[in-house]
Amino acid sequence: MAVTENHINAVREERIYILSEVGNIWRFLFKKWWLFLIVGILAGLAGIFYASTKKINYRSRLTFALDEGSGGGSVGNILNLASQFGFNMGSGKDIFAGDNILDIMKSRRMLEGVFLSVDTFNNKSYTLIEYYLEISGKRDNNAKLKDIHFPVGKQRESFTYSQDSLLYSTAMNFSKNNIVTQRPDRKLSIYEVRVMSPDEKFTRDFTSKMVSKTNDFYVEIKTKKAKETLDILEARVSSMRGNLSSSLESRAKIQDVNVNPAFSAAEVPVLKQQANIQAYGGAYGEMFKNLELARFQYLNQIPLMQIIDPAAYPMEKIKTGKLKTAVLFAFFAEVLLLLVLGIRWVFRK
């Protein structure tokens, strides 16, 4: 019984001690109210100054509809048509179907191609990456970048390792921090692209070029199978037309030589050429129909995208709010001061 009462008394005394210490801490902190006030004011002013030094960013918005109407049966027709001529066209799976187009748009190949394209800013021609390095201030913060440039007209194959590295890092960081691609409504095939940068014209041009290059890449890849089939058919049709013309000319020459044949054997060459003409004519007619079908299928797959809202002026301005930044700076400064004073009080005790 005595042990239990002693234990209860010990717990009670421990609780009283803890509450007393907590009260001492709060009284200690309350006496420093002037310090909290000064730190909060100074941090708030620092936040206002920081917000005022931040550049205004401009954000574009482009929406487009993804055209997938050339898939399905059309692709199947092309594959069947190509297989008739011994050409393997693969499975016909469309890598651009669905949201894959968004990942392709932000891929290294697309972004590096856009950054190396040329545009005019302030009446002077720049590659986009050269102009972006200037307006973003990245060269100001890194002395190593001041000697790395991307002049207009320089071929990618002649880039140094430093140029390749800077181009890659810039493209990947820009993709991560400055580009948003999404499909707002999952029920619709309408996509949205947003790009942000410190320059309004750069933002607009980069957005348009990125979408355009993605569309060009689509035309190059998506129509590659159909184009190769079309080229094969055009070559076959041309060859068959030549064979047919040659047989017609040969039959005419043989008939001219044997105007009044005395023997039936003289008609054999004429009959052979007549058989060739019929065979070549039938094959030519069938190939010509297939050629027209291939042309239709090829044209039916262009274009990939239909722009709904282009990236146009004026752009949305993104600027750091002074009041919001001041409040955040003051809050974190007060928390840091609270921790410092608390640790100091503990060590003094």
Side-chain angles (χ1 to χ4, degrees):
M1 184 70 178
V3 174
T4 304
E5 290 179 357
N6 290 336
H7 178 70
I8 294 173
N9 292 332
V11 171
R12 184 182 296 114
E13 290 177 358
E14 184 178 356
R15 290 178 177 176
I16 294 173
Y17 174 78
I18 292 175
L19 292 174
S20 176
E21 290 300 310
V22 171
N24 292 335
I25 292 175
W26 280 113
R27 281 190 292 271
F28 170 76
L29 295 176
F30 184 75
K31 292 179 181 179
K32 302 292 183 180
W33 65 268
W34 56 271
L35 184 58
F36 281 95
L37 180 61
I38 294 174
V39 169
I41 293 174
L42 292 178
L45 293 175
I48 293 174
F49 176 77
Y50 174 80
S52 62
T53 59
K54 293 292 290 182
K55 294 181 179 179
I56 297 177
N57 284 315
Y58 297 89
R59 184 163 61 190
S60 65
R61 180 179 182 272
L62 182 147
T63 59
F64 64 89
L66 184 62
D67 180 12
E68 299 183 73
S70 59
S74 299
V75 174
N77 290 336
I78 285 187
L79 297 179
N80 294 333
L81 184 61
S83 64
Q84 295 178 12
F85 295 91
F87 193 75
N88 183 14
M89 302 290 283
S91 62
K93 186 178 180 180
D94 186 5
I95 65 170
F96 286 87
D99 292 346
N100 290 343
I101 188 68
L102 302 179
D103 294 327
I104 293 172
M105 191 172 294
K106 296 177 65 175
S107 66
R108 176 180 179 179
R109 174 174 179 169
M110 294 298 106
L111 294 182
E112 288 187 353
V114 175
F115 270 118
L116 292 177
S117 62
V118 179
D119 210 329
T120 302
F121 299 94
N122 302 322
N123 298 322
K124 182 180 178 181
S125 295
Y126 290 88
T127 55
L128 291 190
I129 186 171
E130 183 71 19
Y131 188 71
Y132 177 71
L133 291 173
E134 287 189 9
I135 63 176
S136 62
K138 294 185 179 297
R139 285 200 173 107
D140 300 335
N141 302 325
N142 192 336
K144 295 180 180 179
L145 303 184
K146 292 184 178 180
D147 296 328
I148 304 177
H149 295 276
F150 299 86
V152 175
K154 186 172 184 179
Q155 297 299 317
R156 174 66 187 274
E157 294 75 15
S158 63
F159 279 9
T160 63
Y161 184 83
S162 298
Q163 287 175 309
D164 282 330
S165 299
L166 180 56
L167 176 62
Y168 170 73
S169 62
T170 302
M172 293 300 98
N173 289 332
F174 196 85
S175 173
K176 181 179 179 181
N177 301 316
N178 298 72
I179 301 176
V180 175
T181 57
Q182 61 183 351
R183 183 163 64 168
D185 191 339
R186 308 299 298 181
K187 297 179 181 179
L188 302 176
S189 294
I190 297 178
Y191 298 80
E192 181 181 80
V193 179
R194 291 181 179 269
V195 177
M196 185 174 66
S197 85
D199 186 273
E200 192 172 21
K201 185 177 186 301
F202 177 90
T203 303
R204 185 198 65 175
D205 294 350
F206 191 96
T207 307
S208 300
K209 288 177 181 292
M210 182 176 66
V211 174
S212 177
K213 276 194 171 294
T214 304
N215 189 44
D216 292 342
F217 180 70
Y218 159 74
V219 173
E220 176 186 351
I221 299 300
K222 181 72 181 294
T223 63
K224 182 178 181 180
K225 297 176 181 180
K227 185 64 169 63
E228 289 176 345
T229 302
L230 181 61
D231 292 341
I232 291 174
L233 282 172
E234 286 180 341
R236 293 290 182 88
V237 168
S238 178
S239 175
M240 194 60 62
R241 186 189 299 113
N243 292 337
L244 179 59
S245 298
S246 177
S247 295
L248 289 171
E249 292 176 359
S250 297
R251 186 186 67 174
K253 290 179 181 179
I254 293 172
Q255 287 179 337
D256 289 342
V257 172
N258 301 281
V259 178
N260 294 308
F263 303 98
S264 297
E267 296 182 1
V268 173
V270 176
L271 294 176
K272 287 182 177 181
Q273 292 302 324
Q274 185 64 34
N276 289 340
I277 290 172
Q278 291 177 352
Y280 291 148
Y284 175 75
E286 190 65 26
M287 285 186 179
F288 187 80
K289 288 191 296 183
N290 290 335
L291 176 61
E292 291 302 311
L293 174 62
R295 284 173 178 166
F296 171 77
Q297 299 289 5
Y298 173 70
L299 295 175
N300 194 40
Q301 297 186 40
I302 305 174
L304 167 67
M305 290 177 253
Q306 294 292 338
I307 303 298
I308 300 174
D309 292 322
Y313 297 131
M315 302 287 175
E316 179 185 1
K317 293 183 180 180
I318 308 297
K319 184 172 177 59
T320 305
K322 294 181 180 180
L323 179 59
K324 181 180 179 181
T325 308
V327 171
L328 289 175
F329 270 55
F331 173 77
F332 286 112
E334 299 287 10
V335 172
L336 181 60
L337 177 61
L338 182 63
L339 292 174
V340 171
L341 291 178
I343 294 172
R344 180 185 175 189
W345 186 88
V346 170
F347 277 100
R348 288 180 62 183
K349 291 291 290 183

